[in-house]
């Protein structure tokens, strides 16, 4: 009888409540640990998957760039054995725009420079010698194409753009010894020409400056 009274005493009831509270607290802690571990696993899995995707995307881009650099640009013209002397006088170039030959001792700034007026060809050729791509257009070029190409140039170090009123085609791209005519800025060969020839293997003086020269 005394045992039954002890079990029903206020002290026993308090202990029972305390034990129940501790049990519930331990259960909550277990649930929290499970949720935390699960969330961590999900985050890690996401990071691994995301990292794998980024690595795959980077690898695909590297392969595409390598293909662009090693494949010929369809329709381009090439010139070899171009002279590289510095001269202070105007040069009569055999192609327009010129892609090489004797040129002014000072290069045209080509650090993503877009010129809206004609620039001296002798200075621009010096820029090509440093590995720049020169985008040119005449008054027959579509405004949308000029805008799109100027946006590309403005984001690309070692490139420059300017009008050349007397060139035979509306849109032309030139590098040292290389030239390409395109009908629109969306032509896939534009991207290839930039990838292949901005500081490309054709560059006579790779790494030479494209700033600190003439700025019109």
């Amino acid at each position: 009888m005394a045992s039954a009274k002890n079990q029903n005493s206020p002290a026993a009831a308090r202990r029972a409540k305390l034990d129940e509270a501790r049990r519930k607290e331990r259960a909550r802690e277990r649930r929290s640990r499970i949720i935390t571990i699960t969330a961590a696993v999900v985050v890690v899995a996401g990071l691994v998957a995301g990292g794998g995707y980024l690595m795959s995307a980077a690898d695909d881009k590297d392969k595409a760039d390598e293909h662009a650099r090693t494949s010929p640009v369809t329709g381009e013209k090439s010139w070899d054995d171009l002279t590289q002397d510095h001269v202070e006088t105007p040069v009569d170039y055999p192609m327009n725009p010129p892609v090489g030959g004797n040129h002014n001792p000072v290069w045209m700034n080509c650090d993503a420079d877009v010129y809206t007026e004609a620039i001296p060809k002798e200075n621009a050729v010096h820029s090509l010698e440093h590995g720049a791509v020169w985008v040119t257009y005449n008054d027959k070029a579509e405004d949308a194409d000029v805008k799109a190409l100027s946006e590309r140039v403005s984001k690309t170090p070692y490139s420059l753009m300017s009008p050349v009123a007397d060139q035979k085609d509306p849109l032309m791209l030139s590098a040292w010894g290389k030239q390409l005519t395109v009908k629109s800025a969306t032509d896939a060969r534009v991207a290839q020409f930039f990838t292949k020839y901005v500081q490309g293997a054709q560059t006579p003086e790779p790494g030479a400056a494209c700033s600190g020269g003439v700025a019109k």
Side-chain angles (χ1 to χ4, degrees):
M1 197 67 169
S3 175
K5 286 182 179 180
N6 289 339
Q7 290 176 357
N8 294 325
S9 68
R14 284 194 298 272
R15 281 196 300 273
K17 288 181 179 180
L18 182 59
D19 290 342
E20 177 64 13
R22 288 173 175 170
R23 185 188 66 76
K24 290 181 178 179
E25 181 63 25
R26 287 195 294 271
R28 280 195 297 270
E29 289 176 352
R30 284 196 297 272
R31 286 195 299 272
S32 296
R33 285 197 297 272
I34 291 171
I35 291 171
T36 300
I37 292 170
T38 301
V41 169
V42 170
V43 170
V44 170
L47 290 173
V48 170
Y53 171 78
L54 291 174
M55 289 177 65
S56 177
D59 186 53
D60 289 344
K61 185 179 184 304
D62 288 343
K63 289 179 180 177
D65 287 349
E66 181 61 22
H67 182 266
R69 282 190 290 267
T70 56
S71 300
V73 180
T74 303
E76 73 175 12
K77 295 180 180 179
S78 298
W79 290 263
D80 297 319
D81 302 322
L82 296 166
T83 58
Q84 294 176 240
D85 295 332
H86 288 177
V87 296
E88 300 281 357
T89 56
V91 179
D92 184 17
Y93 293 105
M95 74 292 288
N96 186 38
V99 299
N102 295 345
H103 49 269
N104 192 275
V106 184
W107 57 92
M108 201 76 198
N109 281 348
C110 47
D111 191 18
D113 289 280
V114 176
Y115 302 97
T116 57
E117 297 179 0
I119 60 177
K121 295 176 181 178
E122 292 80 8
N123 299 97
V125 169
H126 197 153
S127 302
L128 303 187
E129 185 183 45
H130 289 189
V133 163
W134 183 18
V135 177
T136 56
Y137 59 96
N138 63 22
D139 59 4
K140 295 180 181 179
E142 297 289 340
D143 290 343
D145 290 323
V146 173
K147 182 175 183 293
L149 289 169
S150 66
E151 288 175 353
R152 177 182 286 275
V153 169
S154 67
K155 297 174 184 177
T156 309
Y158 283 93
S159 73
L160 69 164
M161 181 173 179
S162 72
V164 175
D166 58 346
Q167 68 180 34
K168 66 183 182 66
D169 296 308
L171 299 171
M172 300 178 73
L173 285 72
S174 301
W176 184 270
K178 306 291 181 181
Q179 193 164 83
L180 176 69
T181 292
V182 294
K183 291 185 177 180
S184 102
T186 59
D187 191 315
R189 295 175 298 166
V190 172
Q192 184 186 5
F193 198 91
F194 272 77
T195 299
K196 189 177 180 74
Y197 295 127
V198 169
Q199 283 285 283
Q202 86 294 341
T203 305
E205 297 181 3
C210 240
S211 58
V214 176
K216 193 172 175 98

